[in-house]
Amino acid sequence: MLHLQLTLLSCLLVLATCKIQKQTPTNSWRDMLFGSKWLTPAPRWRESKFLPIFALVPIGPGSCSAPSGEQGNCIPSKDCVLRNGIPAGPCGGGYGVCCIFLQTCGGVIRENSTYFVNPNHPDVYDGTGSCQVTVQKLHPDICQLRLDLDMFSIAPPEAANHLCNQDQLLISGGSPTPTICGSSTGDHMYIDAGLGQSNPIVLSVITSASFPRLWRIRVTQIHCGSISRADQGCLQYYTAISGRVRSFNYNSVGGRQLSNQDYSICIRNERNFCGIQYNACPDLENNRSRSFTLTGNSNNPVATMVGGGGGMPPNLNGCTSDWLLIGCIRSADRIPPLPGCEDRVCGGTFSAEAGMLAKTVQSSVRPFRLYFHTDGVEAPNDIDNRGFCLDYVQQPCTNGF
Ligand SMILES: *[C@@H]1O[C@H](CO)[C@@H](O)[C@H](O)[C@H]1NC(C)=O
Ligand SMILES: *[C@@H]1O[C@H](CO)[C@@H](O)[C@H](O)[C@H]1NC(C)=O
């Protein structure tokens, strides 16, 4: 009986301590940088500390999500504070706190899965200048960084040539990456981090003029031997039997295809799949689909163009300025298939043959890769192009591939 009373008493003491700590204002540099909105505790923060063991929560360390959506690390509260993390609610059945790591302008990333956020996050940032963070490898055996553009909205490219001349995301110190701007929430990039403790990678958001910017970029460090490492040379890497690939700043309503892009999108060849098919994404916003508009004036119907040659009147077929390259593509509806195949495709209609009809396109060149190229010029021939959005489905080896 006495034992039970003692236990109760210590519980109450713990609760009191919690309350006191909770009420102490945390007037740290983080509040100044990020405001204090994200600190809003989850409902039932305190009560959940005392949830019985049988509650349906994973117990112990591991990954966890903060109420504001960030992925965190479930660690004891004091470790989170020591590592300059931000405690964002309990986790692991009372094991610890969901510790998230945020950095903004001038910060150094020293923890896996740290978020690079705009100043004043989650509010918008309307300042100008260069906001950069430096990423330090956690270990010499880190070969890649994966950047997840969890939230990404900076000023769009200008209207005539679609150049990012107001705002830009620049990545230096790693493999070459295209400069991007506009909105690309949900997109990702892999950066080759080189071998050993080489130069740190610097992520910069350069801004000029007024715009309500918002960004939250998750930086994950990938071991050289990790199964989640992307293939060499892939800026984007997808690992599912079906999925969607799209260009940066794609949006069928107002998105502008970015100029000066040069990168590969890779799709991991899943076991027992030998081919791949692509279709332009459904476009529910426009009467005529704009989900593949690379060259020409997309305010009018524009045919498919294929191959690298041509471009001379009267035969305008050929992709010499902006194109998507997929190895040996054919239209899937031809039975038997056409003997020849194409590599480059452009224009305003997605197909593997010149014409006004959108078609399913297939390829059996492995590994599955798309290469996207745009030059630095749009006007006067290329107008209002959105870029591309394609749905892909890998095809089983038994399907004639
Ligand atoms: C970083 O975290 C991811 C999962 O969030 C994990 O797959 C990866 O192995 C971690 N990297 C290191 C270097 O620990
Ligand atoms: C689609 O067509 C209708 C009828 O021609 C027109 O009123 C509407 O504005 C068009 N919508 C778009 C998004 O172009």
Side-chain angles (χ1 to χ4, degrees):
M1 203 55 204
L2 178 68
H3 181 256
L4 180 67
Q5 278 170 351
L6 272 175
T7 318
L8 265 175
L9 188 65
S10 54
C11 275
L12 282 171
L13 274 172
V14 170
L15 189 62
T17 340
C18 277
K19 273 194 170 147
I20 289 162
Q21 281 176 350
K22 203 70 201 90
Q23 281 158 0
T24 314
T26 47
N27 55 343
S28 67
W29 53 274
R30 268 176 246 118
D31 295 59
M32 288 158 62
L33 283 175
F34 307 119
S36 48
K37 275 195 188 167
W38 49 264
L39 270 179
T40 312
R44 294 189 289 120
W45 156 297
R46 261 164 254 141
E47 290 91 312
S48 57
K49 256 195 121 115
F50 298 94
L51 274 182
I53 291 296
F54 54 78
L56 282 176
V57 282
I59 310 248
S63 63
C64 51
S65 332
S68 38
E70 294 92 347
Q71 295 295 305
N73 203 341
C74 186
I75 57 177
S77 177
K78 64 175 192 319
D79 294 353
C80 182
V81 173
L82 278 174
R83 285 158 66 178
N84 280 317
I86 295 155
C91 62
Y95 167 84
V97 292
C98 192
C99 188
I100 59 175
F101 297 95
L102 303 184
Q103 290 293 344
T104 188
C105 316
V108 178
I109 292 183
R110 293 195 179 88
E111 293 282 345
N112 194 10
S113 195
T114 298
Y115 290 84
F116 171 27
V117 297
N118 60 282
N120 208 32
H121 186 82
D123 283 340
V124 298
Y125 168 63
D126 202 348
T128 61
S130 170
C131 177
Q132 57 188 51
V133 298
T134 304
V135 184
Q136 283 186 350
K137 285 188 180 185
L138 299 177
H139 192 274
D141 184 40
I142 297 294
C143 279
Q144 285 179 341
L145 300 183
R146 178 180 160 117
L147 309 183
D148 280 288
L149 309 183
D150 238 23
M151 296 179 182
F152 189 79
S153 177
I154 61 176
E158 46 80 31
N161 287 311
H162 297 191
L163 299 167
C164 295
N165 59 5
Q166 185 180 343
D167 285 8
Q168 313 182 321
L169 170 66
L170 287 183
I171 296 149
S172 56
S175 48
T177 54
T179 296
I180 67 164
C181 59
S183 294
S184 271
T185 294
D187 292 335
H188 72 268
M189 288 185 192
Y190 284 84
I191 317 296
D192 202 320
L195 291 173
Q197 288 290 17
S198 43
N199 296 340
I201 290 175
V202 178
L203 315 179
S204 318
V205 177
I206 319 269
T207 58
S208 60
S210 180
F211 191 81
R213 303 161 181 99
L214 190 67
W215 70 86
R216 184 170 92 187
I217 303 174
R218 183 185 181 201
V219 183
T220 309
Q221 306 208 3
I222 301 174
H223 278 296
C224 301
S226 167
I227 52 156
S228 40
R229 184 177 172 184
D231 286 350
Q232 196 65 32
C234 305
L235 183 75
Q236 295 191 305
Y237 188 61
Y238 291 85
T239 59
I241 289 167
S242 64
R244 177 166 287 187
V245 295
R246 58 180 195 176
S247 46
F248 292 104
N249 194 40
Y250 172 81
N251 175 314
S252 65
V253 179
R256 293 178 184 142
Q257 163 174 284
L258 301 180
S259 286
N260 295 323
Q261 304 287 290
D262 264 303
Y263 61 88
S264 294
I265 304 171
C266 308
I267 299 165
R268 187 175 69 193
N269 186 186
E270 301 299 344
R271 191 190 294 271
N272 296 325
F273 290 86
C274 288
I276 191 161
Q277 290 190 340
Y278 299 94
N279 275 295
C281 302
D283 180 350
L284 307 174
E285 272 81 32
N286 298 295
N287 291 331
R288 190 184 64 255
S289 173
R290 289 192 172 222
S291 57
F292 181 88
T293 46
L294 267 57
T295 56
N297 177 354
S298 73
N299 296 310
N300 301 318
V302 178
T304 313
M305 295 198 279
V306 289
M312 288 299 171
N315 175 18
L316 283 168
N317 186 35
C319 303
T320 52
S321 57
D322 306 334
W323 69 79
L324 192 61
L325 185 151
I326 311 173
C328 195
I329 46 171
R330 293 187 170 91
S331 296
D333 65 342
R334 298 275 194 177
I335 299 172
L338 291 178
C341 60
E342 298 293 345
D343 46 16
R344 293 185 191 186
V345 52
C346 64
T349 304
F350 187 63
S351 168
E353 45 194 280
M356 297 299 299
L357 226 57
K359 291 188 172 187
T360 300
V361 161
Q362 65 185 40
S363 166
S364 50
V365 174
R366 290 185 280 168
F368 303 140
R369 283 194 179 195
L370 303 93
Y371 181 79
F372 185 46
H373 169 88
T374 60
D375 65 5
V377 181
E378 290 284 284
N381 297 322
D382 296 343
I383 299 174
D384 283 344
N385 290 312
R386 304 284 183 241
F388 65 88
C389 173
L390 303 176
D391 287 323
Y392 75 83
V393 186
Q394 299 192 29
Q395 302 293 308
C397 297
T398 49
N399 245 8
F401 285 97

mmCIF file of all heavy atoms in Angstrom, residues 144-182:
data_model
loop_
_atom_site.group_PDB
_atom_site.id
_atom_site.type_symbol
_atom_site.label_atom_id
_atom_site.label_comp_id
_atom_site.label_asym_id
_atom_site.label_seq_id
_atom_site.Cartn_x
_atom_site.Cartn_y
_atom_site.Cartn_z
ATOM 1 N N GLN A 144 25.656 10.065 -51.143
ATOM 2 C CA GLN A 144 24.610 10.874 -51.771
ATOM 3 C C GLN A 144 23.811 11.620 -50.721
ATOM 4 O O GLN A 144 23.743 11.215 -49.564
ATOM 5 C CB GLN A 144 23.617 9.968 -52.531
ATOM 6 C CG GLN A 144 24.144 9.441 -53.830
ATOM 7 C CD GLN A 144 23.135 8.537 -54.529
ATOM 8 O OE1 GLN A 144 22.206 8.026 -53.910
ATOM 9 N NE2 GLN A 144 23.341 8.332 -55.815
ATOM 10 N N LEU A 145 23.192 12.700 -51.204
ATOM 11 C CA LEU A 145 22.168 13.366 -50.403
ATOM 12 C C LEU A 145 20.879 13.245 -51.188
ATOM 13 O O LEU A 145 20.885 13.336 -52.420
ATOM 14 C CB LEU A 145 22.469 14.856 -50.242
ATOM 15 C CG LEU A 145 23.773 15.264 -49.582
ATOM 16 C CD1 LEU A 145 23.817 16.786 -49.476
ATOM 17 C CD2 LEU A 145 23.883 14.640 -48.192
ATOM 18 N N ARG A 146 19.800 13.052 -50.484
ATOM 19 C CA ARG A 146 18.506 13.128 -51.143
ATOM 20 C C ARG A 146 17.824 14.380 -50.598
ATOM 21 O O ARG A 146 17.717 14.563 -49.370
ATOM 22 C CB ARG A 146 17.646 11.896 -50.841
ATOM 23 C CG ARG A 146 16.264 12.003 -51.491
ATOM 24 C CD ARG A 146 15.378 10.808 -51.226
ATOM 25 N NE ARG A 146 13.981 11.186 -51.442
ATOM 26 C CZ ARG A 146 13.195 10.656 -52.375
ATOM 27 N NH1 ARG A 146 13.620 9.690 -53.149
ATOM 28 N NH2 ARG A 146 11.951 11.081 -52.511
ATOM 29 N N LEU A 147 17.372 15.231 -51.497
ATOM 30 C CA LEU A 147 16.634 16.428 -51.095
ATOM 31 C C LEU A 147 15.173 16.199 -51.431
ATOM 32 O O LEU A 147 14.834 15.928 -52.586
ATOM 33 C CB LEU A 147 17.117 17.665 -51.867
ATOM 34 C CG LEU A 147 18.625 17.933 -51.888
ATOM 35 C CD1 LEU A 147 18.901 19.242 -52.629
ATOM 36 C CD2 LEU A 147 19.174 18.015 -50.470
ATOM 37 N N ASP A 148 14.325 16.290 -50.442
ATOM 38 C CA ASP A 148 12.885 16.195 -50.673
ATOM 39 C C ASP A 148 12.290 17.591 -50.554
ATOM 40 O O ASP A 148 12.343 18.188 -49.486
ATOM 41 C CB ASP A 148 12.237 15.263 -49.645
ATOM 42 C CG ASP A 148 12.423 13.807 -50.016
ATOM 43 O OD1 ASP A 148 11.765 13.354 -50.979
ATOM 44 O OD2 ASP A 148 13.244 13.139 -49.372
ATOM 45 N N LEU A 149 11.725 18.063 -51.643
ATOM 46 C CA LEU A 149 11.136 19.396 -51.633
ATOM 47 C C LEU A 149 9.723 19.265 -51.052
ATOM 48 O O LEU A 149 8.738 19.254 -51.767
ATOM 49 C CB LEU A 149 11.113 20.003 -53.037
ATOM 50 C CG LEU A 149 12.445 19.976 -53.795
ATOM 51 C CD1 LEU A 149 12.309 20.682 -55.143
ATOM 52 C CD2 LEU A 149 13.549 20.633 -53.007
ATOM 53 N N ASP A 150 9.697 19.132 -49.753
ATOM 54 C CA ASP A 150 8.462 18.974 -48.998
ATOM 55 C C ASP A 150 7.500 20.121 -49.222
ATOM 56 O O ASP A 150 6.296 19.940 -49.300
ATOM 57 C CB ASP A 150 8.899 19.055 -47.529
ATOM 58 C CG ASP A 150 8.523 17.855 -46.761
ATOM 59 O OD1 ASP A 150 8.328 16.815 -47.381
ATOM 60 O OD2 ASP A 150 8.411 17.980 -45.530
ATOM 61 N N MET A 151 8.073 21.300 -49.236
ATOM 62 C CA MET A 151 7.341 22.532 -49.571
ATOM 63 C C MET A 151 8.345 23.319 -50.381
ATOM 64 O O MET A 151 9.494 23.460 -49.967
ATOM 65 C CB MET A 151 7.028 23.364 -48.330
ATOM 66 C CG MET A 151 6.115 22.714 -47.341
ATOM 67 S SD MET A 151 5.875 23.834 -45.942
ATOM 68 C CE MET A 151 4.821 22.795 -44.942
ATOM 69 N N PHE A 152 7.909 23.785 -51.526
ATOM 70 C CA PHE A 152 8.858 24.568 -52.309
ATOM 71 C C PHE A 152 8.106 25.498 -53.227
ATOM 72 O O PHE A 152 7.478 25.085 -54.199
ATOM 73 C CB PHE A 152 9.783 23.671 -53.132
ATOM 74 C CG PHE A 152 10.908 24.437 -53.785
ATOM 75 C CD1 PHE A 152 12.021 24.808 -53.056
ATOM 76 C CD2 PHE A 152 10.829 24.823 -55.111
ATOM 77 C CE1 PHE A 152 13.051 25.549 -53.643
ATOM 78 C CE2 PHE A 152 11.848 25.560 -55.705
ATOM 79 C CZ PHE A 152 12.963 25.921 -54.971
ATOM 80 N N SER A 153 8.129 26.767 -52.887
ATOM 81 C CA SER A 153 7.473 27.763 -53.707
ATOM 82 C C SER A 153 8.277 29.050 -53.613
ATOM 83 O O SER A 153 8.240 29.738 -52.591
ATOM 84 C CB SER A 153 6.044 27.947 -53.206
ATOM 85 O OG SER A 153 5.420 28.951 -53.943
ATOM 86 N N ILE A 154 9.057 29.313 -54.644
ATOM 87 C CA ILE A 154 9.801 30.569 -54.716
ATOM 88 C C ILE A 154 9.340 31.266 -56.007
ATOM 89 O O ILE A 154 8.490 30.722 -56.721
ATOM 90 C CB ILE A 154 11.334 30.352 -54.651
ATOM 91 C CG1 ILE A 154 11.849 29.503 -55.809
ATOM 92 C CG2 ILE A 154 11.719 29.698 -53.328
ATOM 93 C CD1 ILE A 154 13.388 29.341 -55.846
ATOM 94 N N ALA A 155 9.866 32.429 -56.324
ATOM 95 C CA ALA A 155 9.344 33.179 -57.474
ATOM 96 C C ALA A 155 9.511 32.365 -58.765
ATOM 97 O O ALA A 155 10.497 31.644 -58.931
ATOM 98 C CB ALA A 155 10.058 34.517 -57.579
ATOM 99 N N PRO A 156 8.529 32.428 -59.667
ATOM 100 C CA PRO A 156 8.580 31.654 -60.921
ATOM 101 C C PRO A 156 9.580 32.248 -61.909
ATOM 102 O O PRO A 156 10.061 33.359 -61.719
ATOM 103 C CB PRO A 156 7.153 31.794 -61.455
ATOM 104 C CG PRO A 156 6.658 33.092 -60.907
ATOM 105 C CD PRO A 156 7.331 33.260 -59.573
ATOM 106 N N PRO A 157 9.884 31.494 -62.976
ATOM 107 C CA PRO A 157 10.762 32.045 -64.009
ATOM 108 C C PRO A 157 10.032 33.166 -64.753
ATOM 109 O O PRO A 157 8.806 33.246 -64.699
ATOM 110 C CB PRO A 157 11.003 30.848 -64.928
ATOM 111 C CG PRO A 157 9.817 29.980 -64.738
ATOM 112 C CD PRO A 157 9.391 30.156 -63.308
ATOM 113 N N GLU A 158 10.792 33.999 -65.437
ATOM 114 C CA GLU A 158 10.145 35.085 -66.196
ATOM 115 C C GLU A 158 9.391 34.496 -67.391
ATOM 116 O O GLU A 158 9.654 33.363 -67.804
ATOM 117 C CB GLU A 158 11.157 36.166 -66.592
ATOM 118 C CG GLU A 158 12.467 35.671 -67.186
ATOM 119 C CD GLU A 158 12.373 35.294 -68.642
ATOM 120 O OE1 GLU A 158 11.557 35.900 -69.348
ATOM 121 O OE2 GLU A 158 13.118 34.392 -69.081
ATOM 122 N N ALA A 159 8.460 35.306 -67.941
ATOM 123 C CA ALA A 159 7.491 34.768 -68.890
ATOM 124 C C ALA A 159 8.035 34.531 -70.301
ATOM 125 O O ALA A 159 7.547 33.652 -71.005
ATOM 126 C CB ALA A 159 6.283 35.695 -68.956
ATOM 127 N N ALA A 160 9.044 35.283 -70.742
ATOM 128 C CA ALA A 160 9.452 35.177 -72.136
ATOM 129 C C ALA A 160 10.328 33.953 -72.391
ATOM 130 O O ALA A 160 9.996 33.110 -73.229
ATOM 131 C CB ALA A 160 10.177 36.448 -72.560
ATOM 132 N N ASN A 161 11.412 33.816 -71.632
ATOM 133 C CA ASN A 161 12.346 32.701 -71.870
ATOM 134 C C ASN A 161 12.406 31.694 -70.736
ATOM 135 O O ASN A 161 13.222 30.779 -70.761
ATOM 136 C CB ASN A 161 13.739 33.247 -72.167
ATOM 137 C CG ASN A 161 13.794 33.875 -73.554
ATOM 138 O OD1 ASN A 161 13.348 33.259 -74.518
ATOM 139 N ND2 ASN A 161 14.289 35.094 -73.639
ATOM 140 N N HIS A 162 11.541 31.872 -69.760
ATOM 141 C CA HIS A 162 11.436 30.928 -68.645
ATOM 142 C C HIS A 162 12.765 30.727 -67.909
ATOM 143 O O HIS A 162 13.142 29.611 -67.561
ATOM 144 C CB HIS A 162 10.876 29.575 -69.128
ATOM 145 C CG HIS A 162 9.478 29.675 -69.677
ATOM 146 N ND1 HIS A 162 8.718 28.565 -69.958
ATOM 147 C CD2 HIS A 162 8.711 30.749 -69.995
ATOM 148 C CE1 HIS A 162 7.534 28.952 -70.434
ATOM 149 N NE2 HIS A 162 7.519 30.276 -70.474
ATOM 150 N N LEU A 163 13.473 31.834 -67.709
ATOM 151 C CA LEU A 163 14.737 31.789 -66.965
ATOM 152 C C LEU A 163 14.471 32.133 -65.497
ATOM 153 O O LEU A 163 13.650 32.999 -65.203
ATOM 154 C CB LEU A 163 15.723 32.809 -67.556
ATOM 155 C CG LEU A 163 16.102 32.572 -69.023
ATOM 156 C CD1 LEU A 163 16.806 33.800 -69.602
ATOM 157 C CD2 LEU A 163 16.986 31.336 -69.152
ATOM 158 N N CYS A 164 15.187 31.463 -64.607
ATOM 159 C CA CYS A 164 15.023 31.721 -63.169
ATOM 160 C C CYS A 164 15.840 32.959 -62.817
ATOM 161 O O CYS A 164 16.918 32.835 -62.234
ATOM 162 C CB CYS A 164 15.505 30.522 -62.362
ATOM 163 S SG CYS A 164 14.538 29.033 -62.616
ATOM 164 N N ASN A 165 15.373 34.127 -63.176
ATOM 165 C CA ASN A 165 16.201 35.303 -62.914
ATOM 166 C C ASN A 165 15.730 36.145 -61.740
ATOM 167 O O ASN A 165 16.315 37.164 -61.443
ATOM 168 C CB ASN A 165 16.403 36.140 -64.177
ATOM 169 C CG ASN A 165 15.088 36.607 -64.742
ATOM 170 O OD1 ASN A 165 14.052 36.362 -64.119
ATOM 171 N ND2 ASN A 165 15.109 37.272 -65.874
ATOM 172 N N GLN A 166 14.691 35.676 -61.050
ATOM 173 C CA GLN A 166 14.317 36.377 -59.817
ATOM 174 C C GLN A 166 14.764 35.569 -58.598
ATOM 175 O O GLN A 166 15.518 36.045 -57.771
ATOM 176 C CB GLN A 166 12.800 36.628 -59.771
ATOM 177 C CG GLN A 166 12.418 37.476 -58.551
ATOM 178 C CD GLN A 166 10.925 37.767 -58.442
ATOM 179 O OE1 GLN A 166 10.173 37.631 -59.399
ATOM 180 N NE2 GLN A 166 10.496 38.163 -57.262
ATOM 181 N N ASP A 167 14.320 34.331 -58.533
ATOM 182 C CA ASP A 167 14.713 33.438 -57.436
ATOM 183 C C ASP A 167 15.351 32.183 -58.023
ATOM 184 O O ASP A 167 15.039 31.802 -59.154
ATOM 185 C CB ASP A 167 13.472 32.979 -56.653
ATOM 186 C CG ASP A 167 12.902 34.055 -55.740
ATOM 187 O OD1 ASP A 167 13.368 35.210 -55.809
ATOM 188 O OD2 ASP A 167 11.993 33.728 -54.969
ATOM 189 N N GLN A 168 16.191 31.531 -57.238
ATOM 190 C CA GLN A 168 16.804 30.280 -57.679
ATOM 191 C C GLN A 168 17.139 29.406 -56.476
ATOM 192 O O GLN A 168 17.509 29.919 -55.431
ATOM 193 C CB GLN A 168 18.170 30.513 -58.356
ATOM 194 C CG GLN A 168 18.230 31.600 -59.364
ATOM 195 C CD GLN A 168 19.613 31.715 -59.990
ATOM 196 O OE1 GLN A 168 20.625 31.569 -59.311
ATOM 197 N NE2 GLN A 168 19.640 31.951 -61.283
ATOM 198 N N LEU A 169 17.064 28.107 -56.704
ATOM 199 C CA LEU A 169 17.665 27.159 -55.762
ATOM 200 C C LEU A 169 18.944 26.682 -56.411
ATOM 201 O O LEU A 169 18.928 26.147 -57.520
ATOM 202 C CB LEU A 169 16.737 25.961 -55.511
ATOM 203 C CG LEU A 169 17.378 24.793 -54.730
ATOM 204 C CD1 LEU A 169 17.727 25.188 -53.290
ATOM 205 C CD2 LEU A 169 16.454 23.578 -54.699
ATOM 206 N N LEU A 170 20.070 26.892 -55.740
ATOM 207 C CA LEU A 170 21.371 26.500 -56.279
ATOM 208 C C LEU A 170 22.001 25.481 -55.351
ATOM 209 O O LEU A 170 21.948 25.635 -54.132
ATOM 210 C CB LEU A 170 22.312 27.705 -56.318
ATOM 211 C CG LEU A 170 22.079 28.787 -57.354
ATOM 212 C CD1 LEU A 170 23.189 29.823 -57.241
ATOM 213 C CD2 LEU A 170 22.075 28.179 -58.742
ATOM 214 N N ILE A 171 22.611 24.475 -55.931
ATOM 215 C CA ILE A 171 23.293 23.472 -55.120
ATOM 216 C C ILE A 171 24.733 23.390 -55.600
ATOM 217 O O ILE A 171 24.974 23.135 -56.782
ATOM 218 C CB ILE A 171 22.578 22.125 -55.245
ATOM 219 C CG1 ILE A 171 21.166 22.277 -54.664
ATOM 220 C CG2 ILE A 171 23.329 21.021 -54.508
ATOM 221 C CD1 ILE A 171 20.161 21.426 -55.303
ATOM 222 N N SER A 172 25.661 23.628 -54.701
ATOM 223 C CA SER A 172 27.055 23.588 -55.131
ATOM 224 C C SER A 172 27.851 22.628 -54.265
ATOM 225 O O SER A 172 27.459 22.315 -53.145
ATOM 226 C CB SER A 172 27.660 24.989 -55.073
ATOM 227 O OG SER A 172 27.523 25.503 -53.779
ATOM 228 N N GLY A 173 28.939 22.139 -54.821
ATOM 229 C CA GLY A 173 29.808 21.235 -54.079
ATOM 230 C C GLY A 173 29.551 19.765 -54.371
ATOM 231 O O GLY A 173 30.348 18.912 -54.021
ATOM 232 N N GLY A 174 28.437 19.455 -55.017
ATOM 233 C CA GLY A 174 28.129 18.069 -55.360
ATOM 234 C C GLY A 174 28.116 17.898 -56.860
ATOM 235 O O GLY A 174 28.715 18.681 -57.589
ATOM 236 N N SER A 175 27.417 16.883 -57.349
ATOM 237 C CA SER A 175 27.291 16.700 -58.792
ATOM 238 C C SER A 175 26.491 17.869 -59.363
ATOM 239 O O SER A 175 25.704 18.484 -58.650
ATOM 240 C CB SER A 175 26.583 15.380 -59.072
ATOM 241 O OG SER A 175 25.427 15.266 -58.265
ATOM 242 N N PRO A 176 26.680 18.199 -60.644
ATOM 243 C CA PRO A 176 25.950 19.333 -61.207
ATOM 244 C C PRO A 176 24.436 19.101 -61.135
ATOM 245 O O PRO A 176 23.970 17.995 -61.396
ATOM 246 C CB PRO A 176 26.397 19.351 -62.668
ATOM 247 C CG PRO A 176 27.586 18.481 -62.752
ATOM 248 C CD PRO A 176 27.527 17.528 -61.620
ATOM 249 N N THR A 177 23.714 20.128 -60.740
ATOM 250 C CA THR A 177 22.255 20.019 -60.680
ATOM 251 C C THR A 177 21.664 21.204 -61.428
ATOM 252 O O THR A 177 22.277 22.266 -61.469
ATOM 253 C CB THR A 177 21.752 20.072 -59.225
ATOM 254 O OG1 THR A 177 22.281 21.251 -58.625
ATOM 255 C CG2 THR A 177 22.169 18.867 -58.427
ATOM 256 N N PRO A 178 20.488 21.039 -62.014
ATOM 257 C CA PRO A 178 19.894 22.168 -62.715
ATOM 258 C C PRO A 178 19.437 23.217 -61.698
ATOM 259 O O PRO A 178 19.088 22.880 -60.569
ATOM 260 C CB PRO A 178 18.685 21.539 -63.417
ATOM 261 C CG PRO A 178 18.354 20.329 -62.606
ATOM 262 C CD PRO A 178 19.649 19.835 -62.046
ATOM 263 N N THR A 179 19.471 24.464 -62.101
ATOM 264 C CA THR A 179 18.938 25.533 -61.264
ATOM 265 C C THR A 179 17.429 25.529 -61.418
ATOM 266 O O THR A 179 16.929 25.462 -62.539
ATOM 267 C CB THR A 179 19.515 26.870 -61.763
ATOM 268 O OG1 THR A 179 20.921 26.814 -61.566
ATOM 269 C CG2 THR A 179 18.936 28.041 -61.012
ATOM 270 N N ILE A 180 16.722 25.568 -60.318
ATOM 271 C CA ILE A 180 15.263 25.570 -60.431
ATOM 272 C C ILE A 180 14.654 26.754 -59.704
ATOM 273 O O ILE A 180 15.295 27.392 -58.856
ATOM 274 C CB ILE A 180 14.627 24.250 -59.929
ATOM 275 C CG1 ILE A 180 14.798 24.066 -58.433
ATOM 276 C CG2 ILE A 180 15.208 23.038 -60.673
ATOM 277 C CD1 ILE A 180 13.867 23.010 -57.845
ATOM 278 N N CYS A 181 13.403 27.047 -60.050
ATOM 279 C CA CYS A 181 12.642 28.087 -59.374
ATOM 280 C C CYS A 181 11.163 27.751 -59.529
ATOM 281 O O CYS A 181 10.812 26.726 -60.112
ATOM 282 C CB CYS A 181 12.977 29.471 -59.940
ATOM 283 S SG CYS A 181 12.664 29.649 -61.709
ATOM 284 N N GLY A 182 10.291 28.628 -59.033
ATOM 285 C CA GLY A 182 8.854 28.372 -59.123
ATOM 286 C C GLY A 182 8.397 27.415 -58.034
ATOM 287 O O GLY A 182 8.933 27.421 -56.930
#
